Amino acid sequence: MDDLTRLANGVVWPGFLGDDVPRWLESELRGGLAGVVYFAQNLQGDTAALSARIHEIAPHALIGIDEEGGSVTRLETSTGSTVPSAAQLGMLDDLDATYDTAAEIARRCAAVGVDVVLAPVADVNTDPRNPVIGTRAFGSDTALVSRHVAAAVQGIQDTGIAACAKHFPGHGDTHTDSHHDLPRVDATAAEMAEIHLPPFTAAVRAGVRAIMTAHISVPAWGEIPATLNSAVLGLLREDGFDGVIVTDALDMAAIRETVGIGGGAVRALAAGADLLCVGNPTNPGPAMMPDQDERDFRAARDAIVAALRSGELSRERVEEAARRVAAMAAQTADARGTGQEGALDAEGVVRRAMVVRGEVVAYPDGPATVVDIRRPSSLAVDSAAGHVATALAAGGPVIRRDAETADGEAVAEIVAGARTRRSILLVDRLDETSAQRAVATAVSGGAPDTAIVNVGVPSAGVPGATVLEVAAASLVAAQVARRILIGN
């Protein structure tokens, strides 16, 4: 392996298929690869043993994971998260609870050999329609988000592993999912500086070791995606951040379908990024190739090598990026096994955070009918996770309905069913323009003893209805909501 290939490897962070180290990955780890990012499909076996094997091959390899608590978990994908969400913590506004929750997430990650937690989310969720952030954010208030981001960074990094705040310069004012398209934020530069940048400054002041970019276009700073925009990434350096700038996944449509994984890798490095997250090789779904992981990795790495050879990308820029990555890797390697002990009363935090609007008429302590009208899950957020409805139903039937396509007859059928058999209406969007709100309003009018459980962004409620503002599609949130509904 030549020097340029090894140099390029040092700034690439791919995903891979399976729960063992594939041959190509072992070879690249020995050739200086920065590390890997775990996704749910990698965690089906002994994850601690998998991490130990990776670190045996390459002691300074960085293992990263999206583990946010609430609606986004990799470690508990099959069951649902047992950790509070950022939105719940923001509703509670108890910085000790946020610190303790972040530390618990970090302890769980460290226990399976992870070095970097891709959290906290530092976005200010100002658009209630946001399909990709929502309850992943601490809230819609800049000052609140900023103080909780700082607490979360400290909670994670006090365990010895690195935090990665995301998604710079702020993904909260969007209603498009960058996994599928390029979101556009039409805020002015002054509005971005006032509303969306302060939580990242808070993360920097708290000593965060990494910050992840967003694939969003902010025309105030230019039309190209922030990940590829030197004017945007330069703001982090101007703010005093000298840690690792990590790209969001280059396999997301906002990059893959515009400049491609390879083009995105080269342009992101040129713009000032240091570590290139390639993405989840299972994202293509049925179109996934058996060697999709290696294909995506090579698309990024080989493009960097070609750009170095042609002079399109300066060697000095890539060496600077690689030094930053290596420095973070050395810090995390030295800290392995040094984290503190601790415990989190997750149920207690969630219960204190939860808001009940209206009066709950207690449900029987037995099976219940759940009518689930939530949006489908996305690549980023398992918002329609089955474990939520299952926990609420406690053995009762779960009826799935699509609020977006429900006509008057379908809504009348839902109302009639709730009137005949007392039900729980499960929603994840209750803002004024939501189709779910229209259904919820009809149900509350026709079957007023129906409780509405909202696992999405907290709302102003539905007139005359009982609404539990749960703020997470997680197992622990559903369990607490169930206990409230039965009067326990």
Side-chain angles (χ1 to χ4, degrees), residues 283-413:
N283 281 347
M288 182 187 76
M289 302 296 290
D291 60 346
Q292 191 71 50
D293 51 356
E294 186 176 5
R295 284 173 180 253
D296 289 350
F297 159 71
R298 291 193 181 280
R301 197 277 307 278
D302 293 354
I304 297 167
V305 173
L308 285 167
R309 287 183 174 146
S310 71
E312 178 187 358
L313 190 59
S314 77
R315 181 168 184 145
E316 292 74 20
R317 166 78 273 270
V318 183
E319 287 176 340
E320 176 189 48
R323 281 195 299 272
R324 287 198 179 104
V325 174
M328 184 168 73
Q331 281 182 306
T332 59
D334 290 344
R336 283 179 202 141
T338 63
Q340 80 263 28
E341 295 295 320
L344 174 70
D345 177 14
E347 290 191 7
V349 171
V350 171
R351 181 64 186 88
R352 286 196 294 136
M354 207 169 287
V355 173
V356 180
R357 305 191 191 281
E359 184 178 349
V360 176
V361 178
Y363 283 70
D365 185 6
T369 298
V370 173
V371 180
D372 184 355
I373 61 171
R374 293 176 294 168
R375 292 169 289 183
S377 295
S378 69
L379 291 174
V381 186
D382 193 8
S383 55
H387 53 258
V388 176
T390 300
L392 289 171
V398 175
I399 302 167
R400 192 80 168 93
R401 294 286 186 266
D402 184 352
E404 295 295 330
T405 61
D407 56 16
E409 183 178 346
V411 173
E413 182 182 333

Side-chain angles (χ1 to χ4, degrees), residues 380-440:
V381 186
D382 193 8
S383 55
H387 53 258
V388 176
T390 300
L392 289 171
V398 175
I399 302 167
R400 192 80 168 93
R401 294 286 186 266
D402 184 352
E404 295 295 330
T405 61
D407 56 16
E409 183 178 346
V411 173
E413 182 182 333
I414 294 172
V415 173
R419 189 183 297 121
T420 302
R421 181 168 51 184
R422 193 178 181 205
S423 303
I424 299 167
L425 187 66
L426 179 57
V427 304
D428 68 352
R429 187 177 163 196
L430 282 179
D431 58 277
E432 292 292 340
T433 63
S434 167
Q436 293 181 42
R437 184 180 180 85
V439 175

Side-chain angles (χ1 to χ4, degrees), residues 64-427:
I65 193 169
D66 279 299
E67 193 66 27
E68 300 172 11
S71 301
V72 175
T73 177
R74 302 290 181 258
L75 296 177
E76 298 182 293
T77 297
S78 62
T79 60
S81 177
T82 55
V83 176
S85 70
Q88 290 167 338
L89 294 167
M91 291 164 68
L92 185 59
D93 199 12
D94 177 340
L95 295 180
D96 288 338
T98 295
Y99 178 95
D100 291 344
T101 297
E104 175 64 17
I105 289 171
R107 283 191 294 269
R108 294 181 184 194
C109 291
V112 295
V114 165
D115 303 296
V116 184
V117 179
L118 299 176
V121 169
D123 304 311
V124 181
N125 195 72
T126 54
D127 190 334
R129 301 169 297 172
N130 198 318
V132 71
I133 303 301
T135 63
R136 300 168 67 193
F138 289 106
S140 58
D141 178 81
T142 300
L144 180 144
V145 173
S146 297
R147 61 180 175 263
H148 284 274
V149 164
V153 167
Q154 292 163 354
I156 291 169
Q157 294 192 166
D158 281 355
T159 68
I161 62 179
C164 179
K166 58 190 183 185
H167 309 77
F168 188 83
H171 210 313
D173 191 19
T174 63
H175 58 272
T176 301
D177 186 345
S178 49
H179 290 81
H180 303 293
D181 204 348
L182 178 62
R184 175 187 175 103
V185 178
D186 288 318
T188 66
E191 288 169 338
M192 291 296 294
E194 178 183 356
I195 298 169
H196 297 284
L197 296 188
F200 295 97
T201 296
V204 172
R205 302 295 177 266
V208 73
R209 293 181 191 165
I211 293 178
M212 178 176 280
T213 65
H215 302 328
I216 60 171
S217 171
V218 186
W221 292 317
E223 294 287 343
I224 62 176
T227 298
L228 314 180
N229 190 331
S230 60
V232 174
L233 301 192
L235 295 172
L236 282 171
R237 301 306 182 201
E238 291 172 15
D239 200 25
F241 180 62
D242 194 38
V244 176
I245 297 178
V246 183
T247 70
D248 207 344
L250 298 177
D251 69 347
M252 293 162 63
I255 301 298
R256 183 194 282 271
E257 303 303 325
T258 54
V259 297
I261 291 177
V266 172
R267 293 177 65 175
L269 284 167
D274 303 306
L275 183 57
L276 309 174
C277 178
V278 178
N280 185 349
T282 67
N283 281 347
M288 182 187 76
M289 302 296 290
D291 60 346
Q292 191 71 50
D293 51 356
E294 186 176 5
R295 284 173 180 253
D296 289 350
F297 159 71
R298 291 193 181 280
R301 197 277 307 278
D302 293 354
I304 297 167
V305 173
L308 285 167
R309 287 183 174 146
S310 71
E312 178 187 358
L313 190 59
S314 77
R315 181 168 184 145
E316 292 74 20
R317 166 78 273 270
V318 183
E319 287 176 340
E320 176 189 48
R323 281 195 299 272
R324 287 198 179 104
V325 174
M328 184 168 73
Q331 281 182 306
T332 59
D334 290 344
R336 283 179 202 141
T338 63
Q340 80 263 28
E341 295 295 320
L344 174 70
D345 177 14
E347 290 191 7
V349 171
V350 171
R351 181 64 186 88
R352 286 196 294 136
M354 207 169 287
V355 173
V356 180
R357 305 191 191 281
E359 184 178 349
V360 176
V361 178
Y363 283 70
D365 185 6
T369 298
V370 173
V371 180
D372 184 355
I373 61 171
R374 293 176 294 168
R375 292 169 289 183
S377 295
S378 69
L379 291 174
V381 186
D382 193 8
S383 55
H387 53 258
V388 176
T390 300
L392 289 171
V398 175
I399 302 167
R400 192 80 168 93
R401 294 286 186 266
D402 184 352
E404 295 295 330
T405 61
D407 56 16
E409 183 178 346
V411 173
E413 182 182 333
I414 294 172
V415 173
R419 189 183 297 121
T420 302
R421 181 168 51 184
R422 193 178 181 205
S423 303
I424 299 167
L425 187 66
L426 179 57
V427 304

Side-chain angles (χ1 to χ4, degrees), residues 43-68:
L43 311 181
Q44 306 305 306
D46 186 338
T47 304
L50 173 61
S51 299
R53 176 61 180 147
I54 290 170
H55 287 142
E56 177 186 21
I57 297 167
H60 281 183
L62 287 166
I63 300 175
I65 193 169
D66 279 299
E67 193 66 27
E68 300 172 11

